[in-house]
Amino acid sequence: MKYVLIPVFAATTALADAPQVQNVIVTGDRVDVTVLHPDTGWDHYADGWEVLDADGNRLGFRELFHPHENEQPFTRSQAGIVTPEGATSIFIRTRCNVDGWSDELFEVLLSD
């Protein structure tokens, strides 16, 4: 099953260097997330993203093991994400190795 996605940004305060979600594609249990972050190398880089349900429960996590200073934005995938039955949206939250988890959530609206 493929979902039609409409990105909606939640109104929150984000850190200046927080990784920004640019796009999300959900296909079955696979989530592809495109991230933009001013990686400077091993000293400061986007190091992960997570998928949350509407209640804030973690559905999946993708750790990023190295900087992407020469590949911006970049897309990484995570399979095995089970969306709760009846869910109308999921949320993506990013993390960097300096500032930690972003306060900004990227909402992905799901439809059949």
Side-chain angles (χ1 to χ4, degrees), residues 36-86:
L36 178 66
H37 183 261
D39 288 10
T40 59
W42 292 101
D43 60 323
H44 191 186
Y45 68 99
D47 69 349
W49 51 262
E50 66 180 350
V51 181
L52 305 170
D53 69 11
D55 294 324
N57 299 307
R58 181 186 275 186
L59 304 177
F61 172 68
R62 175 63 154 96
E63 187 169 6
L64 303 170
F65 293 102
H66 60 85
H68 297 88
E69 69 269 26
N70 296 318
E71 180 190 0
Q72 291 291 326
F74 61 95
T75 302
R76 294 297 178 269
S77 304
Q78 183 66 41
I81 308 290
V82 178
T83 304
E85 189 172 327

Side-chain angles (χ1 to χ4, degrees), residues 2-112:
K2 191 163 189 164
Y3 293 98
V4 177
L5 305 176
I6 303 169
V8 178
F9 293 96
T12 60
T13 303
L15 299 170
D17 289 330
Q20 300 294 311
V21 176
Q22 300 290 295
N23 191 41
V24 177
I25 297 173
V26 178
T27 307
D29 73 344
R30 178 182 161 138
V31 178
D32 303 319
V33 177
T34 302
V35 174
L36 178 66
H37 183 261
D39 288 10
T40 59
W42 292 101
D43 60 323
H44 191 186
Y45 68 99
D47 69 349
W49 51 262
E50 66 180 350
V51 181
L52 305 170
D53 69 11
D55 294 324
N57 299 307
R58 181 186 275 186
L59 304 177
F61 172 68
R62 175 63 154 96
E63 187 169 6
L64 303 170
F65 293 102
H66 60 85
H68 297 88
E69 69 269 26
N70 296 318
E71 180 190 0
Q72 291 291 326
F74 61 95
T75 302
R76 294 297 178 269
S77 304
Q78 183 66 41
I81 308 290
V82 178
T83 304
E85 189 172 327
T88 57
S89 62
I90 58 173
F91 298 85
I92 309 298
R93 183 167 67 151
T94 58
R95 183 180 77 184
C96 85
N97 69 328
V98 171
D99 299 314
W101 288 105
S102 173
D103 291 332
E104 185 174 319
L105 297 177
F106 186 92
E107 183 176 14
V108 180
L109 299 179
L110 306 173
S111 65
D112 296 324

